[in-house]
Amino acid sequence: MINKADAIKVDGKITAAAEAPISIELGKFRKMRQGVATNLLTKTGAAEDNTQTDKYTGITTITNGDLSVMLPNFDELAGLRTSTYQLLDAATVRLTETGLKDTHVELSMNEYMKMRGLKDRKEARSQARADARTLSKISISYHEPRRGSEGAFYELNLFQGIGMARNGVICFDFTPKFMQALEGYPFMYVHPLLWRLNSKRNPNSYYLLRKISELKHMNAGKGNEDIISVQTLLACSPNFVSYEEVMAGNKNTTARIIEPFCRDMDALEDALTWEFCHTNGKPLTDKECENMSYSIFAGLLVHVIWREYPQGTGKALEDGKQKKGGKHVPRRKRKE
């Protein structure tokens, strides 16, 4: 067990588990336990209207719906950035795929760089250390609704400690309470693209793909399994500019909301294609395509077509064949 006081500075002996890690196959979906806590957390960003720091304790609280994230000395940390959540998801995948047998799991830097598509080891190590330090400080409180009751309230830390050994192996010690929460959650399939998305080029793509994956699992077998509202997708990323903010400025909703949305959905092309649609999958008219106003855009749905998806989940591909689909038609007439 990593001593919490030594988190991020551990130079201890590496176990056999770290020397013989689980193989990472880039073309394979991964299994990851997920639920209310992790799904809300990985969509939380710090903004002026949801962040407050207690002047006596120095603890910063960031809220996102029914979730509150508490971090001491927040200004000294790297922040709740996309790579922070990518590291958390990587650790959760490792915990899931080892069967939640132990609160301690390990991930080598070579594996993590391969997952993320990172080439510069020095930069990757620096980024992982900063993100690990943030994760090691996080505590969360959240309400988990239950059908027929008021639900339950939880408050817990994520990790007892996170350390990085000299050879680059990242050691995660989940808290028993957080692991217990994860044990009660089902797993979803996650496309490996989730870790390779570049948050500088496409700041919303990680959040979009994670939300699409969550809804795919949640609605498996239903008619809306691959249909998602634009509003739901806009709400999933802390990086989208709000309509109110745009209208208070230059009022250019096309450049500041619609185009970034289309750009960052297009970045998911290794995993899926997509198209705008109305209720019941009704396609857009030529006029709507040619005159894509914000009022039209905000009322649309998105039809997602996975290039492939594991069998046995929702509308899984029969015989493992690839499923292909059309492309979206933003602001222009569909080509015949």
Side-chain angles (χ1 to χ4, degrees), residues 134-249:
T134 299
L135 290 173
S136 73
K137 304 293 185 182
I138 288 179
S139 63
I140 60 175
S141 63
Y142 62 99
H143 174 256
E144 193 160 290
R146 290 283 190 273
R147 183 175 297 177
S149 70
E150 294 182 358
F153 175 80
Y154 299 93
E155 186 167 337
L156 50 86
N157 293 331
L158 303 187
F159 296 96
Q160 298 176 87
I162 306 176
M164 185 180 293
R166 288 173 181 167
N167 66 351
V169 172
I170 312 171
C171 306
F172 301 89
D173 276 309
F174 288 81
T175 62
K177 283 188 176 181
F178 186 43
M179 192 169 86
Q180 185 178 20
L182 291 171
E183 285 176 332
Y185 290 150
F187 71 81
M188 69 177 179
Y189 285 105
V190 182
H191 194 282
L193 179 64
L194 188 74
W195 288 278
R196 301 202 306 273
L197 291 162
N198 187 312
S199 61
K200 292 182 179 179
R201 289 196 301 265
N202 304 103
N204 304 294
S205 294
Y206 163 85
Y207 304 96
L208 291 167
L209 182 55
R210 204 181 192 287
K211 184 64 176 182
I212 291 168
S213 301
E214 292 165 16
L215 293 175
K216 174 75 170 177
H217 162 79
M218 183 185 302
N219 297 318
K222 300 178 182 178
N224 62 342
E225 180 178 354
D226 295 313
I227 302 292
I228 309 164
S229 73
V230 165
Q231 290 294 343
T232 294
L233 291 174
L234 287 174
C236 79
S237 173
N239 297 322
F240 277 123
V241 181
S242 70
Y243 175 77
E244 292 73 20
E245 184 177 346
V246 174
M247 295 309 291

Side-chain angles (χ1 to χ4, degrees), residues 109-147:
M109 183 55 63
N110 288 339
E111 287 181 278
Y112 188 58
M113 289 179 66
K114 188 175 181 181
M115 290 177 76
R116 294 286 314 283
L118 302 174
K119 304 299 182 183
D120 187 326
R121 187 177 180 85
K122 183 177 179 180
E123 175 59 28
R125 184 183 176 96
S126 175
Q127 182 188 98
R129 282 173 62 90
D131 289 330
R133 187 164 187 267
T134 299
L135 290 173
S136 73
K137 304 293 185 182
I138 288 179
S139 63
I140 60 175
S141 63
Y142 62 99
H143 174 256
E144 193 160 290
R146 290 283 190 273
R147 183 175 297 177

